[in-house]
Amino acid sequence: MRTSQGVEWALHTCLNLSWLDAPVPTGILAAFYELPPAYLNKQLQALVRAGILTSTSGPRGGFQLTRDPGEISLLDIVAAIEGPEELFRCDRILSKGPGEHAGVDYRQSCVFAQAMRGADLAWRRELAGKTVADVQADVEHRHPESPANTRARIAELR
Amino acid sequence: MRTSQGVEWALHTCLNLSWLDAPVPTGILAAFYELPPAYLNKQLQALVRAGILTSTSGPRGGFQLTRDPGEISLLDIVAAIEGPEELFRCDRILSKGPGEHAGVDYRQSCVFAQAMRGADLAWRRELAGKTVADVQADVEHRHPESPANTRARIAELR
DNA sequence: GGGTGAATACTCGGATATGGCCTGTCCGAGTTGACGCGG
DNA sequence: CCGCGTCAACTCGGACAGGCCATATCCGAGTATTCACCC
């Protein structure tokens, strides 16, 4: 059980977009990391549906962040790509067991489901506590040249 | 990204086995929750490889816990089924980016990978903190008849 | 020279193939228990 | 009655198909720019 590649792509792409102020087309963003352009486009569509990115068609179009990087958590991005389901898949097999009554929601009452949901929430809490702005700050602290490098490379690829 | 069905099956099966002291064959364990026997067998094999269960061949054979339920964490079971990989898949796409040097392990230095690993650890910490014995106690507290019910149903299926 | 119109190039968006892993099944190897026979 | 050997049934274990989701790609719809033409 691992996240899809799209998550890593989306994270890094959002960080790059946080250093830019004009729309950037898929082709450029894909070339930045040598990714398949059409498939990256598909992932970015999911970010648009989630309200994280805005898309503009036509020449000089592309993708850009809809809001401040400080308002975009890593959980927002992960959930946009992976979907809203929780990590643990509960098919309520307890309902097939003995001594159990109908009309009970085993997703709520099953102790395992509860424990797994607790772990799921811990995971989400960590992801929700870190924003793109936080990452931005970390990276700029370690590698102050990163924003300029990114802008330069984007301009070079245009 | 969700856990496979095998995780839920393994969790409940381990709990059932914690209330029994003799080996139970796959067929019985599967009938308990109306699961496909051969496929459940496949999952239990993974638990054997992980050292959680012991298997005995021949008549009167089957599966049983290798150690005390208090020494089996939910993480042990999940990891046995899902494998040891962490949730976030990092393909080090940074190494394809500009201004980056070879010889750097981007699984370590990438800020996103670090943040995702932190969330992963939070998830694992929750799962490692809960043992089968804990679940056992919770269930017995809420439904004191559960152990007897389980033993009766197992005997009935034999 | 300025404005307008069409043509054009560019970009996103969804519809469409392919591959790998999860799901599901089957049969053979090994072991245990039972049974019958002989002492 | 007791011991031993054979037989048979039972169980695990790994090898073998099918289905679904992640991966990957392509082409059409829409739009802003550009350029040429006309006033």
Side-chain angles (χ1 to χ4, degrees):
Chain A
M1 179 195 42
R2 287 182 335 187
T3 59
S4 63
Q5 297 182 12
V7 173
E8 186 182 12
W9 302 359
L11 289 171
H12 286 280
T13 299
C14 283
L15 178 62
N16 282 344
L17 287 175
S18 76
W19 285 322
L20 304 165
D21 46 2
V24 185
T26 307
I28 308 294
L29 293 170
F32 198 93
Y33 291 123
E34 301 178 12
L35 304 175
Y39 190 32
L40 176 63
N41 187 7
K42 191 180 181 66
Q43 312 289 355
L44 297 184
Q45 286 176 30
L47 295 181
V48 170
R49 278 190 294 271
I52 297 171
L53 295 186
T54 310
S55 62
T56 344
S57 279
R60 310 283 297 175
F63 295 93
Q64 55 188 335
L65 297 181
T66 53
R67 53 183 190 268
D68 191 83
E71 301 300 318
I72 303 173
S73 71
L74 301 195
L75 179 60
D76 292 333
I77 298 176
V78 171
I81 302 291
E82 292 290 333
E85 294 131 348
E86 41 191 83
L87 295 178
F88 176 61
R89 171 202 233 153
C90 177
D91 290 341
R92 325 182 203 61
I93 67 172
L94 270 187
S95 60
K96 299 290 186 180
E100 310 293 346
H101 311 78
V104 179
D105 183 0
Y106 285 106
R107 283 227 177 84
Q108 298 297 329
S109 62
C110 171
V111 178
F112 281 121
Q114 291 171 4
M116 298 302 283
R117 184 171 303 117
D120 188 82
L121 289 175
W123 182 67
R124 294 187 131 79
R125 193 176 306 122
E126 286 287 316
L127 293 182
K130 195 117 182 165
T131 69
V132 173
D134 296 332
V135 175
Q136 211 180 6
D138 284 1
V139 171
E140 292 183 10
H141 180 69
R142 290 199 214 172
H143 306 285
E145 73 281 9
S146 286
N149 276 353
T150 299
R151 279 190 278 264
R153 180 91 179 115
I154 291 287
E156 183 184 333
L157 290 170
R158 273 199 185 277
Chain B
M1 180 194 41
R2 285 182 339 189
T3 60
S4 63
Q5 295 182 12
V7 173
E8 186 182 13
W9 301 0
L11 289 171
H12 286 278
T13 298
C14 283
L15 178 63
N16 283 343
L17 287 176
S18 76
W19 285 321
L20 304 165
D21 46 1
V24 184
T26 308
I28 309 293
L29 294 171
F32 198 95
Y33 292 123
E34 300 178 15
L35 305 175
Y39 191 31
L40 176 63
N41 187 4
K42 194 181 181 67
Q43 312 289 354
L44 297 184
Q45 286 177 31
L47 294 181
V48 170
R49 278 191 293 272
I52 297 171
L53 296 185
T54 309
S55 64
T56 343
S57 280
R60 310 281 297 172
F63 295 92
Q64 55 187 336
L65 297 181
T66 53
R67 53 183 191 269
D68 190 86
E71 299 300 319
I72 303 173
S73 72
L74 301 194
L75 179 61
D76 292 333
I77 299 176
V78 172
I81 302 293
E82 292 290 333
E85 294 131 346
E86 43 190 85
L87 295 178
F88 176 61
R89 173 202 233 153
C90 176
D91 289 342
R92 325 182 203 61
I93 67 172
L94 271 186
S95 61
K96 299 290 187 181
E100 311 294 344
H101 311 78
V104 179
D105 183 1
Y106 286 106
R107 282 227 176 84
Q108 297 297 328
S109 62
C110 170
V111 178
F112 282 121
Q114 291 171 4
M116 298 302 284
R117 184 172 301 118
D120 188 83
L121 289 175
W123 183 67
R124 295 186 130 81
R125 193 175 306 119
E126 287 287 316
L127 293 183
K130 196 118 183 162
T131 70
V132 173
D134 295 332
V135 176
Q136 212 181 3
D138 284 1
V139 171
E140 291 183 12
H141 180 69
R142 290 199 215 172
H143 306 285
E145 73 282 8
S146 286
N149 276 354
T150 300
R151 280 190 278 263
R153 181 94 180 113
I154 291 288
E156 182 184 334
L157 290 170
R158 273 197 184 277

